[in-house]
Amino acid sequence: MFFMEINERIPLNKTKIYLDTSVISYLEQDDAPEQMLITREVWETFKSGKYDIYISNVVLRELSNCKDENKRTKLLNHLSEIKYSFIDVTEKTMEFAERIIDLGILKKKSFDDCQHIAAAIVGNCDFIISWNFKHIVNIETIRGLKVLTTSEGYKDILIYSPEAFQSDKEEEND
């Protein structure tokens, strides 16, 4: 009875997910059909509104820079299929991105990736989802960010590829 009363008073918030550009890009990644299929399946979940989705102006800039006009149009159309909130890259975000570089977690040439990470952390997201295994979804980055978020007073952020958000088909069939 006491448990029920507490649950009634505490609203449960949706999980906040930051999407980096790679997730959106893989919706139309013909040269990687397996990852494209996974991304499209996960996209259906995002379309359902199960999660609060976040992107930053870095995502929009990177999508706008897509050289293939047809692909760029398709990607922006995909983005319009989901409800998302926008995280503005502010001075605070830029400072956090610089700290990622200063601590040697990533190099200056990966500054856009640092901005994605910083936007998600400063924006108080729970997860970053990315197909970028070189700079974002890798153990060294994750370990470094754990140290940085702890020392800077931010909550830990979890970093996964879209595969982690695939629905469990066996569970659905039970």
Side-chain angles (χ1 to χ4, degrees):
M1 186 75 154
F2 179 73
F3 180 71
M4 296 284 283
E5 291 173 18
I6 289 176
N7 269 347
E8 290 171 8
R9 288 184 286 167
I10 302 173
L12 297 175
N13 296 325
K14 288 184 189 176
T15 300
K16 293 174 67 172
I17 296 176
Y18 180 89
L19 301 180
D20 86 340
T21 312
S22 69
V23 175
I24 301 158
S25 182
Y26 269 82
L27 289 165
E28 297 295 333
Q29 199 69 36
D30 294 326
D31 61 345
E34 185 177 336
Q35 288 89 346
M36 186 170 71
L37 184 63
I38 291 166
T39 306
R40 287 182 174 185
E41 179 184 317
V42 172
W43 200 256
E44 290 302 314
T45 303
F46 295 160
K47 286 166 60 174
S48 77
K50 181 177 180 178
Y51 302 106
D52 283 338
I53 304 298
Y54 290 81
I55 65 167
S56 68
N57 57 334
V58 180
V59 171
L60 294 179
R61 179 175 37 86
E62 289 178 338
L63 289 175
S64 296
N65 289 338
C66 178
K67 291 176 182 22
D68 180 335
E69 186 176 336
N70 185 41
K71 182 176 181 179
R72 179 176 57 242
T73 300
K74 286 180 180 180
L75 295 177
L76 292 171
N77 285 340
H78 282 298
L79 195 53
S80 71
E81 296 171 344
I82 63 170
K83 182 180 177 192
Y84 62 88
S85 297
F86 193 74
I87 298 175
D88 218 7
V89 175
T90 62
E91 186 175 323
K92 185 176 184 179
T93 310
M94 295 296 280
E95 289 171 2
F96 196 91
E98 289 288 346
R99 292 281 294 137
I100 293 169
I101 293 166
D102 292 345
L103 292 174
I105 298 168
L106 290 173
K107 297 187 182 331
K108 184 78 171 169
K109 67 181 181 181
S110 303
F111 193 66
D112 282 353
D113 296 328
C114 296
Q115 290 179 83
H116 284 300
I117 294 166
I121 291 170
V122 172
N124 204 34
C125 291
D126 300 303
F127 290 89
I128 297 173
I129 299 180
S130 174
W131 281 113
N132 182 340
F133 292 103
K134 184 173 183 181
H135 298 127
I136 298 178
V137 189
N138 83 45
I139 193 68
E140 294 305 318
T141 300
I142 293 167
R143 291 170 84 187
L145 290 174
K146 168 75 173 147
V147 171
L148 183 56
T149 55
T150 300
S151 69
E152 298 281 329
Y154 290 97
K155 74 176 185 179
D156 289 340
I157 193 152
L158 301 171
I159 302 175
Y160 291 100
S161 74
E163 291 169 304
F165 287 84
Q166 281 184 290
S167 60
D168 187 341
K169 290 180 175 60
E170 284 183 28
E171 216 174 86
E172 290 175 1
N173 293 330
D174 286 343

